[in-house]
Amino acid sequence: MAYRVYDKEYQSPEDLVLYMKTKGLTVGDEQSAQKFLENVNYYRFKIYLWPFLDATLSSYVPHSTFEQGVELYRFDEELRNFIFTIICKIEIKLRSKLDQVVASYSNNPFWYLENELFIKNKIYSMDGVRASLASYFQQSQDDFSKHFKDNYYNEVNANFKQLPPFWVLTELATFGQVRTVYSSLEKSIFQGAQNTNELNTLAHDFGAKNYKELNNWITAIRDVRNRCAHHSRVWNANHRQAGGVLNKLDPKYLPTNNNKIYLFCVLLKLIDDRLGMGFDINITLQSLFNKYPAAQLKCHSAGFPHDWHKDDIWAK
């Protein structure tokens, strides 16, 4: 591959508005457009104009406007914030329920330090998580951290004697670390009577059919959570498909693309119904589409099928 020197010069908001106009984009209010680009980097914004671009001509489809791009940007911003709010609730419940299940089953508040509870080839990963958590904990100046450090230690794992019970440490853990802990548990240890399993029961609390499916869902949630936390585009980005969700939809209303945000919104609806968090996901989505007509026009780019809200899954 031949490389070349990057020699593109800085362009002011005024220059960029003129550039977009030469590409056929209609700008209704040039001063407002320039002000917008002073606050939102053009490199960040231009991807919201791509749905209006005719790639074969390298110009915008006739009658496309700068304001439509802004609508998509604002739609994505509100959608991202709404999704992140739901994920935060799920995260808190996952931390709590995971600890309740494993701590009660093992009768050990320091269960996450007990290697016997984890898959053998995952212990190295768990030690990495423990080391990171130990660093967070030692640096923490929160009252709950200082209280434990000033008064206690544990006898469960000699390499991490300074660490507290999971219900304390979970306040400092990232979602990715909670995911690693959950996915590293040795499921066979949690087998109960009559072919039950405590980790499957935990999965049922979130609407998943078993431990494996919930692990898949958590991974999908982690990915979208990270995009939300870093203010990245979510509305028409490619996302990991959560297993077991597609077959719950009416065949008349299947996603236009299984790797877009629509299917993830369905996943959030399933979890919300099970946990009873009270989010009106259907109503909120419809409200956002009504507020931003450009998003409604391009809803297929986000995986939303025509009349998606008529699927019975949204009526439950």
Side-chain angles (χ1 to χ4, degrees):
M1 178 180 177
Y3 291 92
R4 59 191 176 92
V5 174
Y6 185 91
D7 57 2
K8 296 181 180 180
E9 297 180 354
Y10 164 77
Q11 289 184 294
S12 68
E14 294 87 346
D15 295 331
L16 292 168
V17 169
L18 180 60
Y19 169 75
M20 288 183 283
K21 289 177 68 177
T22 63
K23 292 287 187 179
L25 188 69
T26 298
V27 181
D29 185 332
E30 292 192 20
Q31 284 192 333
S32 293
Q34 292 169 15
K35 189 68 175 177
F36 179 85
L37 293 174
E38 288 175 6
N39 294 290
V40 179
N41 187 292
Y42 172 70
Y43 188 81
R44 173 182 176 84
F45 173 64
K46 69 178 183 179
I47 198 166
Y48 294 91
L49 295 173
W50 283 7
F52 307 103
L53 195 64
D54 186 335
T56 60
L57 300 175
S58 294
S59 63
Y60 291 99
V61 174
H63 310 299
S64 297
T65 69
F66 180 88
E67 288 71 22
Q68 286 178 310
V70 173
E71 280 195 14
L72 287 184
Y73 183 85
R74 297 303 185 200
F75 170 78
D76 188 45
E77 189 173 51
E78 291 197 38
L79 177 65
R80 182 170 60 243
N81 290 339
F82 178 60
I83 287 173
F84 192 55
T85 299
I86 299 173
I87 290 176
C88 287
K89 292 277 191 179
I90 294 172
E91 181 176 354
I92 292 170
K93 290 179 182 294
L94 176 63
R95 291 177 179 185
S96 179
K97 289 178 177 291
L98 174 61
D99 184 58
Q100 290 170 13
V101 167
V102 184
S104 63
Y105 190 84
S106 63
N107 195 30
N108 182 1
F110 300 93
W111 59 266
Y112 70 102
L113 299 176
E114 192 174 336
N115 286 337
E116 290 74 14
L117 293 178
F118 295 93
I119 301 168
K120 286 185 171 55
N121 64 7
K122 296 289 186 70
I123 291 176
Y124 179 81
S125 296
M126 279 301 303
D127 276 342
V129 169
R130 292 161 180 161
S132 293
L133 290 172
S135 177
Y136 298 162
F137 187 65
Q138 289 306 310
Q139 295 175 47
S140 174
Q141 295 301 311
D142 287 311
D143 290 342
F144 66 85
S145 301
K146 292 170 69 175
H147 177 73
F148 186 89
K149 287 185 285 188
D150 290 345
N151 293 280
Y152 305 105
Y153 67 93
N154 77 75
E155 295 182 316
V156 175
N157 191 315
N159 293 324
F160 300 100
K161 293 175 65 174
Q162 77 277 30
L163 288 179
F166 188 78
W167 61 68
V168 176
L169 197 61
T170 189
E171 293 299 315
L172 301 175
T174 68
F175 190 83
Q177 288 169 334
V178 173
R179 172 194 169 273
T180 299
V181 172
Y182 175 77
S183 65
S184 300
L185 288 167
E186 177 55 73
K187 180 183 176 183
S188 61
I189 292 175
F190 297 88
Q191 200 67 27
Q194 298 179 336
N195 203 33
T196 60
N197 187 284
E198 292 298 317
L199 297 185
N200 282 343
T201 302
L202 172 63
H204 299 160
D205 287 347
F206 288 83
K209 66 180 180 181
N210 54 34
Y211 165 74
K212 181 179 179 180
E213 185 167 272
L214 181 58
N215 189 38
N216 174 272
W217 288 8
I218 292 171
T219 302
I221 292 170
R222 177 207 59 184
D223 292 351
V224 175
R225 182 199 184 280
N226 289 344
R227 293 191 68 89
C228 292
H230 292 92
H231 317 293
S232 299
R233 175 176 49 93
V234 298
W235 84 279
N236 68 340
N238 287 322
H239 302 287
R240 187 189 303 267
Q241 180 180 342
V245 177
L246 189 63
N247 60 14
K248 298 182 185 298
L249 296 174
D250 187 319
K252 294 184 295 185
Y253 304 108
L254 294 179
T256 60
N257 185 319
N258 296 341
N259 296 106
K260 297 297 182 179
I261 200 66
Y262 174 67
L263 203 61
F264 185 78
C265 288
V266 175
L267 170 63
L268 295 183
K269 175 68 165 61
L270 294 172
I271 296 175
D272 181 38
D273 286 348
R274 191 69 180 184
L275 293 177
M277 296 185 292
F279 288 101
D280 291 324
I281 299 176
N282 177 16
I283 300 300
T284 300
L285 290 175
Q286 290 193 67
S287 176
L288 285 175
F289 281 124
N290 289 333
K291 184 177 181 180
Y292 298 107
Q296 180 65 62
L297 180 66
K298 300 294 182 180
C299 68
H300 60 278
S301 297
F304 285 77
H306 182 66
D307 286 339
W308 59 271
H309 55 279
K310 293 183 178 179
D311 190 316
D312 286 344
I313 200 165
W314 296 106
K316 297 174 183 176

